[in-house]
């Protein structure tokens, strides 16, 4: 096989995150976005580390693991979901197998493997989505939705979607019509011109509060007041509590803000988990599946055990959700650390609102901020970003010599690397449990209890 050859591949399995593989002429071929049991047509891209990488062209035969219906109309082109067609139980089995294989290959010794918990909702579960402006094809009409599969530029306008709230679709369609009528251009990443960049929509599942956040360049050839008025007249099941506008003149295709203005209401929405209330600001991290988050935090509570009169560190704490749950459970003291200042402000405000006096949240990088902590933790909870714990920070975390650590991971490849370090430092992996927070996508949460 050589570059650009068209080949036929029967998929044997999929490694995390979405690396499907099969064998052709005795050589391993890796193709993104395949499903076990499918027969695919693919084009060879390159040979790397002894493997052949190919690009999916067409599904020639469906897999017995796939369902026959229940897809959105965009599933073949949209990059939002990978396992749209996969049967639910098969998706769960595959995700569990992927994580188990990763940890076994990293020589992680696991005392108790406790399987995977399904999300309470399979559809309409997302409480946050970042949508992109662009075009569906070069020079085409303005589009607003998700990036196309295998594309960094083209966008699929969402007319329906299995994983987001129906109010999000109404906001997308209303916004798209508004900007198309006024011929407002999207920001072109190659030419560095245009206006529209992203639209972020968040909704409190328990409260119905909706936060709409429009991101543009400083070129604004339309009336923000008219846009606000259009949004407020949309027929929604929930209620808009805030409309924000951010200016981003940076080159990178990320949601960020050089300056943010509140056009209507306030810059946060409120969500409830268990019997606690949380104010979530525009850039604060909050789990994107509210019902799933309650399941995830129930696992964390179970792994943490009895925390009464214990000192708990909640590292990478976001808006302090886990820390406040620990505080409510009777911890002597909870100390949270989070990089994003507005998330920390919200966490401290939330704890006051929830009448919790035994927790405090600090703003700063975990790598530097842990140096300021003088207390000795009885329990540490770490919920790092996708890349895992910073190599220097993990040494500082280990130096606290906490008897137990609960590690919450959204990326098992990073988890496997970090667990090797903890294991070498004398921690044993006592329990592992998975939570399928993101049905139909490649992602899965893993909760690990480490004991010294």
């Amino acid at each position: 096989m050589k570059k650009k050859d068209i080949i036929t591949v029967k998929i044997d399995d999929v490694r995390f995150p979405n690396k499907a593989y099969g064998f052709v002429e005795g050589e391993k071929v890796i193709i993104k976005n395949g499903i076990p049991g499918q027969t695919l047509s693919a084009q060879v891209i390159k040979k790397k580390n002894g493997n052949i990488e190919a690009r999916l062209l067409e599904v020639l035969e469906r897999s017995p693991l796939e369902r026959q219906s229940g897809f959105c109309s965009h599933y073949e082109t949209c990059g939002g979901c990978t396992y749209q067609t996969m049967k639910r139980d098969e998706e769960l089995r595959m995700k569990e197998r992927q994580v188990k294989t990763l940890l076994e290959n990293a020589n992680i010794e696991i005392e108790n493997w406790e399987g995977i918990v399904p999300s309470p909702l399979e559809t309409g579960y997302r409480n946050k989505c970042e949508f992109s402006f662009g075009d569906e094809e070069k020079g085409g009409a303005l589009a607003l939705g998700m990036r196309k599969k295998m594309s960094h530029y083209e966008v699929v306008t969402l007319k329906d979607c299995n994983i987001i709230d129906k109010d999000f679709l109404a906001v997308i369609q209303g916004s798209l019509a508004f900007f198309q009528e006024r011929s407002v251009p999207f920001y072109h990443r190659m030419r560095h011109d245009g206006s529209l960049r992203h639209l972020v929509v968040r909704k409190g599942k328990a409260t119905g509060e909706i936060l709409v956040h429009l991101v543009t360049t400083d070129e604004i050839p339309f009336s923000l007041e008219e846009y606000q008025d259009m949004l407020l007249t949309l027929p929604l099941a929930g209620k808009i509590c805030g409309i924000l506008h951010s200016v981003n003149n940076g080159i990178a295709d990320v949601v960020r803000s050089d300056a943010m203005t509140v056009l209507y209401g306030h810059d946060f929405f409120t969500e409830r988990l268990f019997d606690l209330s949380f104010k979530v600001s525009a850039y604060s991290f909050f789990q994107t599946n509210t019902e799933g988050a309650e399941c995830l935090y129930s696992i964390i509570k179970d792994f943490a055990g009895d925390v009464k009169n214990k000192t708990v560190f909640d590292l990478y704490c976001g808006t302090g959700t886990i820390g406040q749950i620990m505080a409510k459970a009777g911890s002597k003291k909870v100390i949270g650390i989070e990089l994003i200042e507005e998330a920390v402000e919200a966490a401290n405000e939330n704890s006051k609102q929830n009448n919790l006096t035994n927790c405090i949240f600090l703003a700063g990088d975990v790598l530097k901020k842990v140096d300021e902590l003088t207390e000795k933790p009885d329990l540490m909870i770490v919920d790092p970003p996708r890349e895992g714990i910073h190599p220097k920070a993990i040494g500082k975390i280990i130096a606290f010599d906490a008897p137990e650590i609960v590690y919450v991971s959204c990326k098992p490849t990073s988890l496997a690397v970090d667990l090797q370090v903890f294991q070498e430092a004398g921690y044993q992996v006592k329990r592992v449990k998975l939570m399928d927070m993101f049905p139909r996508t490649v992602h899965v949460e893993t909760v690990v209890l480490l004991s010294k």
Side-chain angles (χ1 to χ4, degrees):
M1 283 178 283
K2 59 185 185 295
K3 189 174 180 180
K4 295 189 178 180
D5 280 356
I6 307 297
I7 57 176
T8 300
V9 187
K10 176 75 176 285
I11 299 302
D12 288 349
D13 207 347
V14 181
R15 295 286 176 254
F16 181 86
N18 60 343
K19 295 181 179 178
Y21 67 88
F23 292 86
V24 177
E25 299 171 1
E27 293 190 88
K28 189 174 185 179
V29 180
I30 298 171
I31 306 171
K32 287 184 177 179
N33 301 322
I35 288 173
Q38 285 181 333
T39 301
L40 307 178
S41 171
Q43 185 174 43
V44 175
I45 301 171
K46 61 183 174 182
K47 204 163 189 173
K48 182 179 179 183
N49 300 326
N51 295 322
I52 293 168
E53 293 186 16
R55 179 170 59 88
L56 173 61
L57 298 177
E58 184 184 359
V59 177
L60 301 176
E61 289 182 26
R62 289 206 173 279
S63 165
L65 308 186
E66 293 182 88
R67 64 182 105 202
Q68 300 304 311
S69 61
F71 322 140
C72 75
S73 61
H74 317 287
Y75 78 93
E76 291 183 322
T77 55
C78 179
C81 297
T82 302
Y83 305 127
Q84 181 79 214
T85 65
M86 205 167 181
K87 293 174 184 174
R88 186 78 183 105
D89 56 344
E90 297 294 349
E91 179 189 343
L92 291 169
R93 270 195 281 270
M94 183 182 70
K95 287 180 173 178
E96 183 177 356
R97 186 171 66 247
Q98 288 176 338
V99 178
K100 201 168 189 179
T101 299
L102 273 168
L103 298 185
E104 285 173 351
N105 289 344
N107 296 315
I108 304 303
E109 296 175 17
I110 301 167
E111 195 167 303
N112 291 294
W113 181 270
E114 301 182 19
I116 184 168
V117 178
S119 169
L121 293 177
E122 182 187 353
T123 60
Y125 61 85
R126 284 196 69 96
N127 58 34
K128 175 191 175 184
C129 262
E130 296 179 359
F131 303 111
S132 299
F133 289 95
D135 49 15
E136 295 209 21
E137 57 187 14
K138 190 174 182 180
L142 181 68
L144 173 59
M146 303 298 293
R147 295 284 180 202
K148 280 188 178 181
K149 280 181 183 175
M150 312 301 288
S151 173
H152 296 294
Y153 299 99
E154 295 168 329
V155 171
V156 179
T157 292
L158 298 184
K159 298 179 179 64
D160 61 325
C161 179
N162 271 321
I163 68 171
I164 65 173
D165 191 287
K166 285 185 169 55
D167 280 347
F168 290 21
L169 292 171
V171 172
I172 287 175
Q173 289 156 13
S175 298
L176 184 60
F178 177 89
F179 292 120
Q180 283 179 335
E181 285 169 9
R182 291 158 179 77
S183 300
V184 182
F186 68 91
Y187 174 73
H188 198 286
R189 290 166 60 193
M190 301 299 288
R191 297 195 306 261
H192 308 308
D193 60 18
S195 176
L196 305 168
R197 301 196 68 155
H198 296 97
L199 181 68
V200 185
V201 189
R202 306 183 76 162
K203 182 178 181 180
K205 286 285 187 178
T207 63
E209 293 184 359
I210 301 169
L211 190 66
V212 181
H213 185 187
L214 177 68
V215 183
T216 71
T217 63
D218 58 8
E219 180 186 329
I220 309 170
F222 61 93
S223 165
L224 286 167
E225 187 176 350
E226 286 179 3
Y227 179 64
Q228 166 197 305
D229 292 344
M230 179 278 299
L231 289 174
L232 293 174
T233 60
L234 290 173
L236 302 171
K239 181 177 176 59
I240 292 178
C241 65
I243 301 172
L244 315 177
H245 172 245
S246 282
V247 170
N248 174 13
N249 287 319
I251 295 173
D253 185 35
V254 294
V255 177
R256 58 178 286 274
S257 175
D258 298 331
M260 187 170 74
T261 305
V262 179
L263 303 178
Y264 170 84
H266 37 72
D267 63 351
F268 64 89
F269 71 97
T270 306
E271 184 60 296
R272 286 196 293 270
L273 283 172
F274 302 113
D275 55 351
L276 297 172
S277 179
F278 297 93
K279 187 178 94 171
V280 185
S281 55
Y283 287 102
S284 294
F285 170 79
F286 194 85
Q287 291 288 353
T288 55
N289 177 347
T290 303
E291 290 90 339
E294 289 199 338
C295 293
L296 177 68
Y297 296 144
S298 294
I299 296 170
I300 296 167
K301 281 177 70 177
D302 176 40
F303 278 26
D306 185 0
V307 295
K308 285 181 181 175
N309 299 316
K310 289 185 177 180
T311 298
V312 179
F313 287 0
D314 179 14
L315 308 184
Y316 311 95
C317 67
T319 50
T321 318
I322 297 172
Q324 289 177 67
I325 291 169
M326 293 296 110
K328 183 83 172 177
S331 297
K332 180 172 72 177
K333 187 174 186 180
V334 175
I335 302 172
I337 298 177
E338 166 60 39
L339 182 63
I340 300 171
E341 287 189 17
E342 67 175 77
V344 173
E345 289 172 13
N348 284 313
E349 193 172 320
N350 289 334
S351 63
K352 288 177 185 174
Q353 186 175 308
N354 290 318
N355 298 313
L356 299 170
T357 57
N358 53 341
C359 52
I360 184 170
F361 300 96
L362 310 172
D365 188 339
V366 167
L367 173 62
K368 299 173 182 175
K369 208 69 183 173
V370 291
D371 293 336
E372 300 174 18
L373 303 181
T374 56
E375 289 91 344
K376 177 174 170 55
D378 300 296
L379 170 71
M380 299 181 81
I381 298 173
V382 293
D383 187 3
R386 290 198 177 283
E387 60 268 22
I389 303 171
H390 189 286
K392 291 181 181 177
I394 199 168
K396 293 180 179 181
I397 289 169
I398 289 167
F400 278 102
D401 203 33
E404 291 186 319
I405 298 172
V406 177
Y407 190 132
V408 187
S409 169
C410 58
K411 188 177 180 183
T413 46
S414 301
L415 172 67
V417 173
D418 288 350
L419 288 185
Q420 286 177 322
V421 180
F422 281 115
Q423 197 168 257
E424 288 167 8
Y427 280 92
Q428 293 177 314
V429 178
K430 306 296 281 187
R431 302 173 68 183
V432 178
K433 198 170 200 173
L434 277 57
M435 176 64 215
D436 186 35
M437 291 282 285
F438 316 102
R440 305 193 181 207
T441 77
V442 302
H443 305 293
V444 65
E445 293 274 338
T446 307
V447 186
V448 179
L449 174 62
L450 295 157
S451 182
K452 188 76 179 197

